[in-house]
Amino acid sequence: MFGAKKRREEEKKQDPVVGTYLSDSTTFEGSIKAREDIVIDGAVSGTIIVSGTVTVGKNGMVLAAIHADDVTVRGSVTGDITARETLELCETARIAGDIRSPSLVVHGGAALKGTCSVDRSVTDEVTSAVLKRPVARFGAAPTHMRPMKPADLMTARLKLLIIMMKAAMEDYPLGTFRKESMKENADYVLQCLVAGGSDGAFDAGYPADFIQKAHTVATAARDIADGRESDLPRHIRTTINDMCRELSFNETIPSMNFFKVA
Amino acid sequence: MENVRIAVIGLDKDETAFIATAFRYCVNREIATYESADAFIREHTTAEETDIVIVACPIGSGDDNSVVTSIRKHSPGVLCIITSDDPSHEERARLSGADGFLAKPYTVHDLFAIVDAFIVP
């Protein structure tokens, strides 16, 4: 994903005007939604919703409604155009449709068949058109949402500790920052255990023997992060599995796909 | 994806630190943390361009005032993930153009799911 992003950024540096370019050899049917400038010299039919500038080049033939921050037309558009900021019709523009924008620039020679509205109210309309799209959702269900309590963070830290130890047991690679985060997490858990829950951080109702196990595992995690221990003793592995059961935590480690990105 | 750059913005130090620790472990890279969107914009230089921002601070209202808009003005193209304990913020996050919404209380698995969704190739 970010390889493509980097490539687009490089292209933008070379030609700061263009984010996405549809050449005159391109035909596209469907809905285009983009968060960057787009230049169309090809044929597009459908809907175009862009947070940025849409430029229809001299060779561009658009059979679509266009919603964008700014629109510049040099070619042919059949469909309504709504521009949030500025709509510019160049001398070669051919429009068949209604146009709306708070700011309109029309050059001599431009042709328009349709109504024209210079209207500031289009701003919000285009904004919501651009932004109405699904958002990836994570975490609690809406009916269960509430602030994070210290105990939530402590439980999450304990689970992260277990995942880190499970990964170490299965010889997943440890890089510099992984070791740092492992040490930092272990230190946080140990500090909370020493504090004894006086600030509510460890008020999760765990029995004393569980707290002892957490202490043992956190200490072992710190040793591994510091490079003092490479092989986990058998009793640590047993302790980790016990903690999983007591935390109602799946004993198998979750997807470790993230190791692929390091 | 290589060398993903993640920043966490939030006033609650324990929460911000936890998110940063979990992501630092996932991607094996330093994770920048900021107390507010203003601090991110003030202290974060364009040379340190960021790919993903986790926003655990007030998200603002309306398009022009939203924290997502402010962040994107400073760092165009950055993926913004809003975290909140208020169900009504989910719609506001969507309207402000956020890419993700992390509802509280979340677990470490939710943070891993974000990595899977946005970072893992």
Side-chain angles (χ1 to χ4, degrees):
Chain A
M1 178 175 91
F2 283 93
K5 183 185 169 190
K6 206 171 245 178
R7 195 166 57 247
R8 285 198 303 275
E9 283 169 355
E10 284 303 315
E11 286 168 358
K12 262 194 170 179
K13 279 176 194 163
Q14 289 166 14
D15 183 352
V17 177
V18 180
T20 297
Y21 177 64
L22 298 178
S23 73
D24 56 8
S25 61
T26 304
T27 299
F28 181 86
E29 291 179 18
S31 176
I32 295 175
K33 291 189 179 182
R35 289 182 169 277
E36 60 182 8
D37 298 347
I38 179 168
V39 175
I40 301 168
D41 264 327
V44 175
S45 60
T47 308
I48 300 168
I49 301 173
V50 170
S51 181
T53 300
V54 172
T55 302
V56 180
K58 271 187 182 177
N59 299 320
M61 292 185 65
V62 174
L63 182 62
I66 300 175
H67 296 261
D69 291 338
D70 297 289
V71 180
T72 299
V73 183
R74 296 191 179 91
S76 163
V77 177
T78 302
D80 298 342
I81 303 173
T82 308
R84 184 185 179 198
E85 300 287 342
T86 302
L87 170 58
E88 182 178 9
L89 306 183
C90 299
E91 58 186 10
T92 50
R94 299 288 178 269
I95 314 287
D98 298 338
I99 60 174
R100 291 180 69 197
S101 178
S103 173
L104 179 65
V105 179
V106 182
H107 296 269
L112 170 66
K113 272 187 190 174
T115 64
C116 170
S117 173
V118 181
D119 182 0
R120 289 226 157 260
S121 69
V122 301
T123 300
D124 293 339
E125 191 181 307
V126 176
T127 300
S128 55
V130 170
L131 300 173
K132 273 188 179 172
R133 58 183 181 76
V135 174
R137 192 183 195 288
F138 309 90
T143 50
H144 291 83
M145 285 175 68
R146 59 168 173 74
M148 294 286 281
K149 296 176 185 170
D152 295 322
L153 282 173
M154 183 59 181
T155 302
R157 290 264 189 186
L158 282 169
K159 290 183 175 181
L160 180 59
L161 173 71
I162 290 169
I163 289 164
M164 289 169 164
M165 291 299 276
K166 287 267 186 181
M169 283 159 59
E170 299 197 10
D171 292 329
Y172 280 98
L174 274 179
T176 305
F177 294 103
R178 283 208 175 109
K179 283 181 183 170
E180 277 182 18
S181 63
M182 200 167 172
K183 186 172 185 304
E184 191 271 333
N185 193 53
D187 284 343
Y188 182 97
V189 169
L190 286 168
Q191 276 173 19
C192 287
L193 293 175
V194 170
S198 58
D199 60 353
F202 204 47
D203 185 22
Y206 297 122
D209 67 326
F210 178 87
I211 293 172
Q212 181 56 47
K213 286 172 187 166
H215 194 282
T216 301
V217 173
T219 305
R222 201 166 54 177
D223 288 345
I224 289 171
D226 283 341
R228 287 199 292 268
E229 188 154 22
S230 54
D231 292 324
L232 283 172
R234 188 176 182 79
H235 77 275
I236 298 286
R237 293 167 187 263
T238 307
T239 305
I240 291 167
N241 289 335
D242 287 349
M243 284 178 68
C244 287
R245 276 189 288 276
E246 289 173 55
L247 276 172
S248 301
F249 190 43
N250 192 336
E251 286 182 45
T252 58
I253 56 176
S255 161
M256 290 297 195
N257 284 337
F258 53 78
F259 278 102
K260 295 175 190 170
V261 303
Chain B
M1 180 211 320
E2 291 176 5
N3 302 327
V4 60
R5 294 148 300 188
I6 302 173
V8 184
I9 300 172
L11 198 54
D12 184 321
K13 284 183 179 172
D14 281 344
E15 193 182 332
T16 306
F18 168 64
I19 295 172
T21 300
F23 280 123
R24 188 182 298 121
Y25 181 75
C26 285
V27 302
N28 192 32
R29 275 179 70 87
E30 189 52 272
I31 306 296
T33 58
Y34 302 90
E35 284 192 351
S36 65
D38 286 344
F40 171 79
I41 291 163
R42 194 174 54 244
E43 297 168 23
H44 182 270
T45 66
T46 48
E48 307 164 327
E49 212 173 317
T50 301
D51 298 305
I52 300 176
V53 177
I54 312 293
V55 183
C57 61
I59 61 174
S61 58
D63 181 41
D64 291 337
N65 298 322
S66 86
V67 68
V68 175
T69 303
S70 304
I71 289 169
R72 287 232 173 86
K73 273 183 188 163
H74 177 265
S75 300
V78 69
L79 293 170
C80 290
I81 298 167
I82 302 286
T83 178
S84 172
D85 57 38
D86 185 338
S88 71
H89 287 178
E90 187 166 353
E91 177 66 2
R92 280 168 58 184
R94 188 177 69 80
L95 289 173
S96 69
D99 300 279
F101 185 75
L102 175 61
K104 297 180 187 181
Y106 49 80
T107 68
V108 68
H109 290 289
D110 294 315
L111 301 183
F112 290 165
I114 289 173
V115 174
D116 273 347
F118 290 104
I119 302 172
V120 172

